[in-house]
Amino acid sequence: MVTPKDIENKEFTRGMRGYKEDEVDDFLDLIIVDMERLIKENKILKGEVLKLKKEVDEKKDSEESVVKTLEAAKALMNDISA
């Protein structure tokens, strides 16, 4: 993956009729800022995803426990009825 540092340190060869260096540098600076923001946002979102997955797993465990309790109660009620 290309990092903001890679963009910042990239050197281009010069041609006879190349681009204006200042314009290229300014544009690369914009890309660096956006990329740094996206990397931070991605890291935050990955953390939120892990947190939500953990919550879902906890809810599933709780749900399974409730279902087992209901099944046990139903079986007990059937035994009492018999």
Side-chain angles (χ1 to χ4, degrees):
M1 178 172 89
V2 177
T3 66
K5 203 64 163 168
D6 293 334
I7 296 169
E8 186 176 357
N9 293 330
K10 177 66 179 164
E11 294 288 328
F12 295 95
T13 56
R14 297 177 194 253
M16 282 189 61
R17 296 173 60 137
Y19 295 105
K20 292 183 181 177
E21 190 174 339
D22 290 341
E23 289 180 7
V24 173
D25 288 342
D26 290 344
F27 185 70
L28 289 176
D29 289 343
L30 292 174
I31 292 172
I32 290 168
V33 169
D34 282 350
M35 192 167 186
E36 287 172 341
R37 180 185 54 79
L38 289 171
I39 289 170
K40 287 178 188 175
E41 184 179 335
N42 190 29
K43 186 175 181 179
I44 291 168
L45 291 173
K46 283 182 179 181
E48 288 180 18
V49 165
L50 289 176
K51 179 183 167 195
L52 292 172
K53 281 183 179 180
K54 183 178 176 183
E55 287 180 23
V56 166
D57 289 343
E58 289 172 0
K59 300 291 184 198
K60 282 182 182 178
D61 291 343
S62 177
E63 181 182 354
E64 289 173 7
S65 176
V66 169
V67 168
K68 287 179 184 178
T69 302
L70 288 173
E71 288 173 352
K74 184 179 178 182
L76 182 60
M77 193 168 65
N78 287 339
D79 289 346
I80 292 172
S81 295

